[in-house]
Amino acid sequence: MDTIGAVFLQSAIKRVKYYKQLGDSSFHQLEEKDFYFQPNRTSNSLAVIIQHMSGNMLSRWTNFLLEDGEKNWRNRDIEFEDQHHSKDQLLALWEKGWNCFLGTLESLKELDLLQTIYIRSEPLIVVDAINRQLAHYPYQVGQIIYIAKIVKDQQWKSLSIEKNKSNDYNAMMVKNAKP
């Protein structure tokens, strides 16, 4: 029988992979120029969101149990400036951040969950630090999807249940349910 800690880690990893996949699926629908679209002057482009997420993940999850999550080598302000990366470079940053995050999550043991770590000198237990990022990264992925939908407009391929298709989806779920 799995313990609550083991179940929590499995669930967190499953959710993280799901949100990464939503971002991946959005990026596959876009051209390089689309990564620099800004809905308005105060909004971030996809490129900036990717730079920020990667910087955050690398800072938070590198030596997660041993060092403060806000590393002295991180320059958060630069993450919000256009770095003129190509689509391939942006996707490499995206992968680097997620690989760091997932690698750390997958390496954690149940006993680690109640340890205290620090982010900007704020003490957090590991469970809280994980939950904090499970709120932050999906928030950013939601922005990615929203901007991608604006860019693609009628050519957008839905990543979830399409409008007016809920009954069809529910019927499919019932049909495919395991007894």
Side-chain angles (χ1 to χ4, degrees):
M1 180 172 175
D2 285 334
T3 62
I4 189 71
V7 170
F8 172 76
L9 285 169
Q10 291 166 4
S11 176
I13 291 164
K14 178 181 176 181
R15 292 293 153 214
V16 166
K17 288 179 178 180
Y18 171 73
Y19 284 103
K20 179 187 181 299
Q21 185 272 324
L22 288 175
D24 292 343
S25 295
S26 296
F27 299 148
H28 291 307
Q29 297 187 48
L30 301 173
E31 298 174 32
E32 189 156 329
K33 67 178 175 49
D34 299 334
F35 284 79
Y36 289 93
F37 170 80
Q38 285 181 263
N40 60 48
R41 289 184 14 209
T42 61
S43 296
N44 293 317
S45 67
L46 296 174
V48 165
I49 295 170
I50 291 167
Q51 290 166 182
H52 169 61
M53 288 183 72
S54 181
N56 183 281
M57 289 176 178
L58 293 171
S59 184
R60 296 291 182 267
W61 298 97
T62 298
N63 299 321
F64 174 69
L65 296 173
L66 305 173
E67 298 174 1
D68 190 288
E70 188 64 21
K71 306 295 188 282
N72 60 9
W73 46 257
R74 181 183 184 202
N75 186 340
R76 185 181 182 278
D77 293 334
I78 292 268
E79 295 167 12
F80 290 93
E81 294 177 13
D82 182 359
Q83 301 297 309
H84 306 290
H85 293 302
S86 69
K87 179 179 178 178
D88 288 341
Q89 290 171 317
L90 289 167
L91 295 179
L93 281 174
W94 173 259
E95 290 299 326
K96 185 176 182 181
W98 285 101
N99 288 340
C100 180
F101 180 28
L102 279 165
T104 299
L105 271 185
E106 290 169 343
S107 74
L108 293 175
K109 307 292 183 244
E110 185 176 8
L111 292 175
D112 298 327
L113 294 176
L114 295 177
Q115 282 192 49
T116 299
I117 60 102
Y118 295 86
I119 298 176
R120 293 190 181 106
S121 302
E122 177 188 352
L124 301 163
I125 62 168
V126 168
V127 168
D128 192 25
I130 293 169
N131 284 332
R132 178 177 164 158
Q133 299 316 107
L134 282 172
H136 182 213
Y137 301 145
Y139 164 80
Q140 300 287 336
V141 170
Q143 291 179 20
I144 288 168
I145 294 167
Y146 186 69
I147 292 169
K149 287 174 82 169
I150 291 170
V151 168
K152 294 307 289 182
D153 195 21
Q154 296 299 313
Q155 287 76 45
W156 175 254
K157 293 177 185 71
S158 179
L159 305 179
S160 64
I161 303 167
E162 295 185 50
K163 289 181 182 180
N164 300 316
K165 298 289 183 179
S166 294
N167 289 337
D168 295 343
Y169 182 82
N170 291 340
M172 188 247 339
M173 292 300 289
V174 167
K175 178 181 172 191
N176 294 333
K178 297 177 183 173

